[in-house]
Amino acid sequence: MSAQPYPFGPAEGLTPHPRYAELREPTRILAPYGGEAWLVTGYHDTKTVLADPRFSRAAAAGKDSPRARPPIDSPDQILSMDPPGHTRLRRLVAKAFTVRRVERLRPRMAEIVEDLIDRGITDLVADLAWPLPTTVICELLGVPAADHTRFREWTEATLALRGLEEMAEARSTLNTYLAGLIAQRRDEPTDDLLSALVAARDEGDRLSEEELVRLGVTLLISGHETTANQIGNFLYLLLEDPRRWDALSDVPRAVEELLRFTPMGVVADFARIATTDVVLGGQTIKAGDAVLVQLHAANRDPGVFAAATELDLDRADNPHVAFGHGTHHCLGAHLARVELQVVLSTLRRRMPSLRLADPSKVEWRVDRLVRGPVALPVA
């Protein structure tokens, strides 16, 4: 079978392209960048690709590997690394994102949400979805409050699909900004994660300047962009049918189901290269072949999830892979979970009769790597 053109079509709101549901075995695709690859959508095959060391992320980084967006991945950033390099950097920051430390942030998150509601909510995206995770990750790393707005503008540009030049320019601006903050922390350490990274040692070796900058930028971007969009996505799904909002009770369980159900990535990202021949889903992946996984398709695998295409806020057994799996499982998974729980629980308590002004007129971002509404005006 010849390779299928990929992406299959434009991302339309929160509706996955129907082609994903038809593909439960690895399929050959032709990506707009880098040529042919295997697309994996089955749940168990996805977990294998994400966890099996025979599929290398580092082998694809910095090369013209198949992907559906401009190739800007640096082989030196943590998201592009394999162990042991990845393990070393992850270990240095993991202690800041443990369940215990994140739970200590829950009261501060609640305080931020309460304050945002007190100021008045007219648009759930602009007035709540973006300010909360932006404030949380900036406070965690030590970005001054006066720079939060500029920081969001820069990070938005790094994830746009408008072109390689604009994305690279925004990334360079962020690098310069973080380098300046790092220099400040060396002279005047404070009680934040950036200061801890500056002082961090691993087996006697201090992080290099470049490692510090890349790691700081990665944490800043990944620490708020996806969560901000998911807050908007979740609220849209809960409020487009008011019965869902009115019935919302077990918020942690609902968050897990919304994570499973909501398609976040517009396209499959971060190619991996098979380092040896691997049989996967009945197909032989040859050494050197590129493999892409689509997490939202894996989360709707009917062989794993009953009524997989339905949103069941009371779903009990929910082993979704929304945060990935294996070595690159999202470092900030619990941080995102707590932010999502705090937003929904606080809104449900403070605004039990919350309604969208007109769900049929919600517009969606079309130039992003991550799905999300442009605005969610409330009634």
Side-chain angles (χ1 to χ4, degrees):
M1 181 182 297
S2 59
Q4 301 183 38
Y6 185 82
F8 300 129
E12 299 180 355
L14 297 180
T15 304
H17 193 282
R19 191 76 185 100
Y20 288 113
E22 301 168 5
L23 304 175
R24 288 301 166 197
E25 295 181 353
T27 303
R28 293 292 287 178
I29 58 169
L30 178 60
Y33 298 90
E36 293 190 10
W38 291 95
L39 177 67
V40 173
T41 59
Y43 178 85
H44 296 295
D45 290 342
T46 291
K47 291 186 72 173
T48 296
V49 173
L50 295 178
D52 193 321
R54 292 176 296 177
F55 295 99
S56 168
R57 181 174 282 189
K63 304 176 178 65
D64 191 19
S65 55
R67 65 190 67 214
R69 61 166 175 78
I72 62 169
D73 299 326
S74 165
D76 298 319
Q77 64 180 1
I78 189 172
L79 296 177
S80 302
M81 292 180 172
D82 292 334
H86 174 272
T87 307
R88 170 178 173 261
L89 293 182
R90 186 180 178 101
R91 185 166 57 241
L92 290 173
V93 296
K95 61 184 178 181
F97 295 96
T98 62
V99 170
R100 177 177 296 181
R101 293 199 65 172
V102 168
E103 286 297 332
R104 292 176 185 168
L105 298 175
R106 190 183 287 267
R108 174 56 183 151
M109 295 179 196
E111 180 182 309
I112 295 169
V113 176
E114 295 277 3
D115 180 60
L116 292 171
I117 294 175
D118 289 342
R119 295 182 190 181
I121 302 291
T122 58
D123 173 7
L124 289 166
V125 172
D127 299 333
L128 181 63
W130 281 97
L132 171 64
T134 299
T135 301
V136 170
I137 195 63
C138 284
E139 288 185 355
L140 189 62
L141 275 104
V143 176
D147 293 337
H148 289 191
T149 299
R150 286 197 304 161
F151 154 69
R152 180 190 163 187
E153 293 172 354
W154 295 332
T155 56
E156 283 238 324
T158 65
L159 294 175
L161 294 172
R162 304 184 191 109
L164 179 60
E165 183 176 342
E166 184 174 348
M167 296 170 80
E169 182 179 349
R171 174 78 65 163
S172 176
T173 301
L174 267 175
N175 287 348
T176 301
Y177 176 78
L178 258 294
L181 278 185
I182 288 167
Q184 292 178 21
R185 295 302 186 273
R186 280 209 173 94
D187 294 336
E188 300 177 5
T190 56
D191 185 22
D192 57 47
L193 179 56
L194 201 57
S195 293
L197 290 177
V198 169
R201 291 180 178 275
D202 181 50
E203 297 179 357
D205 295 324
R206 190 183 297 272
L207 282 165
S208 70
E209 186 76 10
E210 290 186 359
E211 286 178 326
L212 275 168
V213 171
R214 283 193 298 266
L215 198 53
V217 169
T218 299
L219 291 171
L220 281 169
I221 295 175
S222 58
H224 85 285
E225 174 80 16
T226 52
T227 305
N229 281 291
Q230 284 294 61
I231 291 173
N233 293 337
F234 287 13
L235 288 171
Y236 171 79
L237 288 170
L238 290 171
L239 293 168
E240 69 165 339
D241 182 348
R243 292 172 298 180
R244 291 174 180 164
W245 181 251
D246 294 342
L248 181 64
S249 57
D250 189 333
V251 170
R253 180 175 290 188
V255 165
E256 295 309 308
E257 173 64 354
L258 287 161
L259 285 166
R260 181 199 70 84
F261 181 82
T262 308
M264 186 176 66
V266 171
V267 292
D269 203 10
F270 291 115
R272 288 167 169 80
I273 304 296
T275 58
T276 186
D277 291 359
V278 183
V279 176
L280 187 71
Q283 303 285 353
T284 299
I285 312 296
K286 296 288 188 181
D289 283 357
V291 181
L292 298 167
V293 299
Q294 184 52 279
L295 295 179
H296 71 64
N299 280 333
R300 295 193 180 202
D301 189 332
V304 177
F305 301 97
T309 60
E310 297 179 11
L311 179 62
D312 178 4
L313 298 178
D314 293 320
R315 190 184 298 272
D317 184 21
N318 204 340
H320 64 75
V321 288
F323 291 115
H325 180 67
T327 300
H328 285 275
H329 180 270
C330 179
L331 187 66
H334 195 65
L335 181 68
R337 278 190 168 99
V338 173
E339 289 178 279
L340 293 164
Q341 291 170 8
V342 168
V343 165
L344 296 187
S345 60
T346 307
L347 274 178
R348 187 71 184 87
R349 174 175 53 81
R350 291 284 307 273
M351 306 177 73
S353 301
L354 182 64
R355 295 290 186 267
L356 292 181
D358 189 346
S360 67
K361 293 184 178 180
V362 171
E363 296 182 6
W364 300 88
R365 296 166 180 267
V366 296
D367 64 342
R368 316 293 297 165
L369 290 171
V370 179
R371 298 171 189 253
V374 175
L376 289 176
V378 299

